Amino acid sequence: TISDYKEYADYVLGADGIVRDANGNQLFDGSGGDKYNAGGCNGSKGWEYSPGPPVEWKIGDDCGGDGKFYVEGNITISGNPGQANDPWQVSLMAEGNINISGNPQFTNYKDANDSAGVQNIFMLAGTDIEWSGNPSNTIEGFIDVGEQIKLNGSPTIEGFIIAKDKANTDDHVEQNSISGNPTITFSGSLDTPFTINTSGDVSLTIVSWNEL
């Protein structure tokens, strides 16, 4: 389950509106409407909490901050965070869905202190992912979706996408689809957290794959 990966997060954006670090220490209280400015920007910018239901954390500017973010709910990214020559370095993990619109310029976050598998996390969603946009930079990592993915744009991905296609508990995306002009270069040798035996994760074996 997605919760198995919470231990890898730098920031946990909670269902209660509290932002915590990996050790559970409170960093910020967004439950009153203030935004979590993780990027060091001026003004009211950054991650915004919505209690829902469903719970949502959303970002539409350059103040999200680099790192690995675990969200106890849905993630919504809009606007144009990041620049082509200075992309937002982020790994996203959501218990719910991830919805990306606009044209964010981002790459997956790689911390030299992490194992190769953790560095290769780009997006993990408990339910659905809907992603449109045309990032300029190559994303070296993998995407794991609990239910369905809708990919519409022209990203360049060196890694792989896994959509488990479980029965819909979230109707944000109802069937898998890829449109636009994405370039996905399969990397069967890419390390993933599934192979980190010390953390108790199971082993992932790819037995076949399809070109779309």
Side-chain angles (χ1 to χ4, degrees):
T1 65
I2 293 298
S3 61
D4 293 334
Y5 301 98
K6 185 183 286 190
E7 65 180 284
Y8 303 126
D10 299 310
Y11 306 97
V12 176
L13 280 57
D16 56 1
I18 306 298
V19 179
R20 298 175 174 85
D21 65 16
N23 296 317
N25 300 310
Q26 180 171 324
L27 301 176
F28 185 81
D29 185 350
S31 62
D34 294 333
K35 295 182 180 180
Y36 178 53
N37 185 337
C41 302
N42 294 321
S44 179
K45 299 179 180 179
W47 291 95
E48 182 179 0
Y49 167 72
S50 174
V55 170
E56 177 188 43
W57 282 87
K58 54 187 176 181
I59 180 80
D61 53 44
D62 284 329
C63 302
D66 294 344
K68 302 184 294 295
F69 290 84
Y70 182 97
V71 172
E72 296 176 345
N74 298 335
I75 296 174
T76 296
I77 298 173
S78 60
N80 303 294
Q83 307 295 325
N85 61 352
D86 185 20
W88 181 20
Q89 299 179 47
V90 65
S91 295
L92 301 169
M93 298 171 275
E95 292 181 356
N97 65 58
I98 300 175
N99 182 23
I100 301 172
S101 60
N103 193 33
Q105 300 292 333
F106 50 14
T107 60
N108 57 309
Y109 179 75
K110 294 180 180 289
D111 186 335
N113 294 317
D114 289 332
S115 67
V118 175
Q119 291 183 44
N120 286 325
I121 295 173
F122 180 49
M123 284 193 283
L124 307 178
T127 60
D128 299 329
I129 290 179
E130 181 174 3
W131 177 14
S132 61
N134 304 291
S136 301
N137 297 277
T138 298
I139 294 164
E140 299 176 346
F142 70 94
I143 297 170
D144 186 294
V145 191
E147 294 182 7
Q148 288 81 35
I149 184 169
K150 180 179 181 180
L151 179 59
N152 179 18
S154 302
T156 300
I157 301 170
E158 293 184 358
F160 52 85
I161 298 172
I162 298 173
K164 298 184 177 71
D165 205 26
K166 294 179 181 177
N168 287 333
T169 61
D170 184 336
D171 60 4
H172 187 82
V173 177
E174 295 187 342
Q175 63 182 16
N176 294 309
S177 66
I178 296 178
S179 57
N181 190 32
T183 300
I184 304 172
T185 303
F186 173 69
S187 176
S189 62
L190 192 71
D191 287 338
T192 78
F194 297 101
T195 61
I196 301 175
N197 296 326
T198 56
S199 62
D201 293 317
V202 298
S203 176
L204 171 67
T205 302
I206 298 173
V207 296
S208 67
W209 63 287
N210 295 324
E211 289 190 10
L212 300 177

